[in-house]
Amino acid sequence: MAMANNKTHNEEFKQRINEQNHSLMKQINQWERNSIEIIQQKAQKCREILIKSSETLIYNNAKKFNSLSEQIKQIHRENEIDLHYLKNQLANIVEELNNPPNISPQQNSQPIIDEISIISLKKSKLNKWKQNAVTVAGGNREEQALNELSHPHGIFIDEKKNILIADCTNHRIVEWKYDAKEGQIIAGRNGKGDRMDQLNYPTDVTIDPQNHSIIIADSLNRRVIQWQNQYQQILIRNIDCYSLAMDKQGYLYVSDIVKNEVRRWKMGEYNTEGIIVAGRNEKGDQLNQLHYPTFIFVDDDQSVYVSDCFNNRVMKWKKDANEGTIVAGGNGCGENLNQLAFPHGVIVDDLGQIYVADWRNHRIMCWCEGRKEGEIVVGEHRKGDQSNQLNGPHGLSFDDEKNLYVVDNRNHRIQKFEIDL
């Protein structure tokens, strides 16, 4: 019975859509006919003006020839010949014949027909999230037990909502399965160090979708390292790495907090120097500079968003650009809606809205590109450890349901803010 009802509702929905489309199609066809008629009328008017103008030119020149002829006859009868005068008159007429007026169509900036477009009547709006979060990892104490975290930094969430966490001062990468009460160590179980099986303050983690290996920003070992089934290899050496990102083409992006730049590497070419995609001009606050770039995000167009921490702004560098644009902050360090204070995590949704972990303001901001100020998403209740508070937020991520995950660094936990439908 339920299936039959669903089928009936679906057929009714399809019928309503088809009726709506039929009505809209009639309006579009009518607009087309009206526009063609207006254009044809305008074209015919221009033709008439052109013909009339040409006829007037021909008539005026003939009149001048006739006048000159009469003058010659008159001069002949009176036997008074003024050759200089006749020569000038004839020259003027010849000049007009050789150089007729330059007639050309002129396009008006004002359209002669009304434009038409199709828009959705259901306007998009900013997503909202419940202000009281659920702790999905850590939050017990700042210790090393499997249900604890210590100053977590970056996170990665897979399609099953499992969370990979750069458990920074525990020098390990921990995976928390969906709804798990504790995590599992998947990299760095051998304590702080620089051996291949050790980590030293890891700050970010991502997954290579090609081979499902784990890639880690092993910050104080100054290397980007890959872990796959307990086998380790160094991908990039001698880099003061902080954050990682991978685009859909398989390029790896790494922020460097000492060189104040972001570089990109093609898979399998990690032995090269990579390509600078943001920064490249030492530290500074100009549009072609960065100062302590922390987290990064790469969109489908390979534009790179950078939390330019010490400049209190987020920069967007389009692919192959020589400088970036400010898309959030950039008005000094502060807590006003047009300011940020040492931004960290940054992500961009499908609508191009930019979410920033405003570290010292203990809040998450949303900025629409081109706007002068942002909007507080979560964390309006100042610093704290309650479910509606944050303390030094770092990494950010969405799951496939658009729930917002925040690395609550100083509370040693990962907070999940559920989308408020």
Side-chain angles (χ1 to χ4, degrees):
M1 182 65 71
M3 292 181 64
N5 288 336
N6 288 337
K7 186 175 181 180
T8 301
H9 290 320
N10 187 48
E11 291 299 325
E12 291 176 352
F13 176 75
K14 288 170 61 177
Q15 183 177 351
R16 288 198 301 271
I17 293 297
N18 288 333
E19 290 174 354
Q20 175 181 282
N21 286 349
H22 179 69
S23 175
L24 291 173
M25 198 66 71
K26 287 177 64 177
Q27 295 179 48
I28 294 171
N29 292 340
Q30 185 62 48
W31 170 84
E32 181 183 28
R33 288 192 293 270
N34 293 342
S35 299
I36 291 172
E37 184 178 348
I38 292 171
I39 293 171
Q40 288 175 335
Q41 291 173 355
K42 186 70 174 179
Q44 182 59 29
K45 187 175 181 180
C46 289
R47 293 189 194 100
E48 292 172 358
I49 292 173
L50 178 62
I51 292 171
K52 186 175 181 180
S53 176
S54 300
E55 289 176 346
T56 300
L57 286 172
I58 293 170
Y59 172 78
N60 288 339
N61 275 283
K63 188 176 179 181
K64 289 178 181 179
F65 266 117
N66 291 335
S67 175
L68 181 61
S69 178
E70 288 297 323
Q71 292 180 56
I72 292 173
K73 290 178 181 178
Q74 182 68 25
I75 291 171
H76 178 70
R77 284 195 297 269
E78 297 176 358
N79 294 317
E80 294 181 3
I81 302 175
D82 189 343
L83 293 177
H84 181 70
Y85 170 76
L86 292 177
K87 184 177 180 181
N88 285 341
Q89 289 288 87
L90 185 60
N92 289 336
I93 295 173
V94 171
E95 176 70 18
E96 290 184 7
L97 290 175
N98 291 333
N99 297 282
N102 186 15
I103 302 174
S104 63
Q106 181 179 6
Q107 294 186 2
N108 197 322
S109 60
Q110 297 296 323
I112 63 173
I113 62 171
D114 294 327
E115 293 186 358
I116 189 173
S117 60
I118 300 296
I119 61 172
S120 172
L121 297 180
K122 185 176 180 181
K123 295 182 179 180
S124 61
K125 62 179 182 179
L126 286 177
N127 290 326
K128 302 291 183 182
W129 287 268
K130 296 177 181 178
Q131 295 300 297
N132 291 286
V134 177
T135 300
V136 292
N140 297 296
R141 288 183 302 175
E142 181 193 351
E143 298 290 348
Q144 296 181 349
L146 291 178
N147 67 342
E148 296 165 340
L149 299 171
S150 180
H151 293 94
H153 276 53
I155 57 173
F156 180 90
I157 300 175
D158 67 16
E159 66 278 0
K160 297 179 181 179
K161 298 186 178 65
N162 301 322
I163 309 171
L164 291 181
I165 306 166
D167 191 9
C168 187
T169 52
N170 278 330
H171 314 289
R172 64 190 184 185
I173 304 298
V174 181
E175 180 182 32
W176 285 62
K177 298 288 187 181
Y178 180 66
D179 275 347
K181 301 300 181 183
E182 62 180 30
Q184 303 174 9
I185 302 172
I186 57 174
R189 65 178 65 251
N190 298 298
K192 174 183 176 182
D194 60 3
R195 296 200 315 260
M196 289 294 291
D197 62 351
Q198 292 179 309
L199 300 172
N200 191 355
Y201 289 93
T203 50
D204 204 5
V205 59
T206 190
I207 290 181
D208 186 337
Q210 298 292 326
N211 54 24
H212 304 288
S213 64
I214 300 164
I215 300 176
I216 304 164
D218 190 12
S219 66
L220 292 193
N221 280 327
R222 304 185 66 245
R223 64 190 183 187
V224 176
I225 191 168
Q226 180 184 52
W227 286 57
Q228 187 173 20
N229 300 323
Q230 298 305 312
Y231 170 76
Q232 306 89 32
Q233 67 169 327
I234 298 173
L235 298 181
I236 306 167
R237 301 174 184 271
N238 302 317
I239 182 170
D240 293 284
C241 50
Y242 193 100
S243 180
L244 308 172
M246 293 198 77
D247 65 23
K248 291 187 176 181
Q249 288 73 36
Y251 289 91
L252 177 66
Y253 299 72
V254 186
S255 63
D256 189 318
I257 56 176
V258 173
K259 290 184 178 179
N260 298 289
E261 64 187 23
V262 180
R263 288 182 182 257
R264 181 184 73 194
W265 279 266
K266 187 176 182 181
M267 186 182 301
E269 297 182 2
Y270 296 118
N271 59 333
T272 67
E273 293 184 354
I275 298 173
I276 299 175
V277 295
R280 76 167 58 89
N281 293 286
E282 300 184 347
K283 71 179 179 183
D285 61 2
Q286 302 302 305
L287 294 180
N288 62 352
Q289 294 177 309
L290 300 169
H291 191 184
Y292 203 86
T294 53
F295 287 89
I296 55 177
F297 179 90
V298 183
D299 67 13
D300 291 344
D301 297 324
Q302 294 183 310
S303 293
V304 182
Y305 296 78
V306 187
S307 278
D308 192 9
C309 185
F310 288 175
N311 282 325
N312 302 294
R313 65 189 185 184
V314 175
M315 301 291 290
K316 177 183 179 181
W317 289 64
K318 292 184 178 180
K319 184 180 179 182
D320 299 326
N322 292 319
E323 63 179 29
T325 57
I326 301 172
V327 292
N331 297 295
C333 180
E335 60 181 18
N336 295 325
L337 293 181
N338 68 340
Q339 294 178 306
L340 297 170
F342 306 107
H344 278 63
V346 58
I347 51 175
V348 181
D349 68 13
D350 295 337
L351 298 176
Q353 296 165 154
I354 304 146
Y355 298 81
V356 188
D358 194 6
W359 179 77
R360 203 179 74 177
N361 287 323
H362 316 289
R363 64 190 184 186
I364 309 303
M365 301 284 289
C366 177
W367 291 66
C368 296
E369 188 170 346
R371 295 279 181 89
K372 298 299 183 182
E373 60 182 35
E375 176 181 329
I376 300 174
V377 174
V378 296
E380 290 186 288
H381 303 282
R382 300 291 181 177
K383 177 176 69 174
D385 60 2
Q386 301 302 306
S387 62
N388 62 354
Q389 294 178 310
L390 299 169
N391 190 351
H394 274 53
L396 298 177
S397 187
F398 289 124
D399 63 20
D400 56 7
E401 295 177 353
K402 298 303 180 184
N403 298 310
L404 176 63
Y405 294 74
V406 180
V407 178
D408 194 6
N409 176 267
R410 291 181 177 174
N411 284 325
H412 315 290
R413 64 188 183 183
I414 310 299
Q415 297 292 85
K416 175 184 176 182
F417 292 88
E418 295 180 347
I419 192 164
D420 195 1
L421 299 176

